[in-house]
Amino acid sequence: MLLEAKQIGFRYERDLWVLRGVDISIQSGEIVGLVGPSGFGKSTLCRILAGYEKPHEGQVLLHGAALPTSGFHPVQLVFQHPEKAVNPRWRMSRTLAEGGAPDESLLEQLGVQQEWLGRFPNELSGGELQRFCVARALNPQTRFLLADEMTAMLDAITQAQIWQVVKEVARRENMGVLVISHEKNLIHRLCTRVVDLTITNEKT
């Protein structure tokens, strides 16, 4: 399966182009790094790839077809700040079940404790909440995972644990992964290929 963006252009109202003429592709089973300076559109591109934003130019294709608009989305995005991605009125058990029944072994691998399931998001630490968001995104129906600085706020031990789980799931499920990080060591350790947005982005 292939996730690809073709000639993507995007700008906020009355602003200059954030993205222009951007091409990027991710194959199933591939871990791709996306690098570039702050403000150069990396997070915006992730939101477009996941269907949160519509480009003003170009298109995003999943295996040659438009992104689905209903049901569980096969392209999942994990943000740097997990509190923005969960409903504060839902208990964590409901958040996890949103895309289907959670995998118990996956929860254990990510260090998610059963006693947390009855809590609300504001009753968890940022690291605990991020573990939930990663678990929810690593659904068996997920074909591509977009990780936008998703471990930047975590300590080194937690980062290593989460990325090890992501790598194992990606390999087992033949899942494509896009990694955004300012940590060059992480990018080069994880990724099979790196895309530099300063080269492909022709914004003016």
Side-chain angles (χ1 to χ4, degrees), residues 28 56 75 79 102 142-143 165 188 202:
S28 294
H56 296 108
V75 182
F79 300 92
T142 300
R143 305 318 315 148
V165 174
H188 291 294
E202 302 171 358

Side-chain angles (χ1 to χ4, degrees), residues 13-192:
E13 188 176 359
R14 297 182 180 178
D15 285 342
L16 298 176
W17 291 93
V18 177
L19 300 167
R20 196 80 188 271
V22 172
D23 293 315
I24 189 171
S25 63
I26 312 162
Q27 294 273 2
S28 294
E30 184 180 31
I31 300 180
V32 178
L34 182 64
V35 299
S38 296
F40 219 76
K42 300 186 298 297
S43 294
T44 299
L45 181 58
C46 274
R47 290 196 298 271
I48 291 172
L49 287 169
Y52 287 104
E53 299 275 8
K54 291 185 178 180
H56 296 108
E57 296 178 347
Q59 58 183 335
V60 177
L61 300 175
L62 179 63
H63 208 51
L67 292 174
T69 56
S70 61
F72 184 85
H73 204 291
V75 182
Q76 288 290 304
L77 172 59
V78 181
F79 300 92
Q80 177 179 353
H81 300 286
E83 67 277 4
K84 297 180 180 180
V86 295
N87 189 327
R89 298 182 180 180
W90 286 7
R91 295 185 186 276
M92 298 314 301
S93 56
R94 183 177 179 184
T95 295
L96 277 178
E98 186 178 17
D103 185 316
E104 296 296 330
S105 63
L106 177 63
L107 297 183
E108 184 177 346
Q109 285 179 284
L110 288 169
V112 175
Q113 299 179 22
Q114 290 296 317
E115 64 188 60
W116 299 349
L117 296 177
R119 299 179 185 177
F120 291 98
N122 65 352
E123 297 176 311
L124 299 174
S125 70
E128 291 167 350
L129 193 56
Q130 191 66 304
R131 291 170 188 264
F132 273 100
C133 288
V134 174
R136 180 177 61 176
L138 293 178
N139 187 289
Q141 300 178 71
T142 300
R143 305 318 315 148
F144 293 91
L145 175 71
L146 312 179
D148 186 4
E149 296 280 5
M150 76 175 189
T151 59
M153 305 296 288
L154 307 177
D155 63 81
I157 294 176
T158 303
Q159 285 188 32
Q161 181 186 27
I162 288 177
W163 282 117
Q164 184 60 38
V165 174
V166 170
K167 286 173 62 178
E168 290 175 1
V169 173
R171 181 173 60 249
R172 183 175 67 245
E173 302 294 336
N174 199 31
M175 181 187 300
V177 182
L178 182 68
V179 181
I180 293 179
S181 177
H182 289 293
E183 296 187 29
K184 294 181 179 179
N185 290 337
L186 176 66
I187 289 287
H188 291 294
R189 186 171 70 250
L190 285 174
C191 303
T192 53

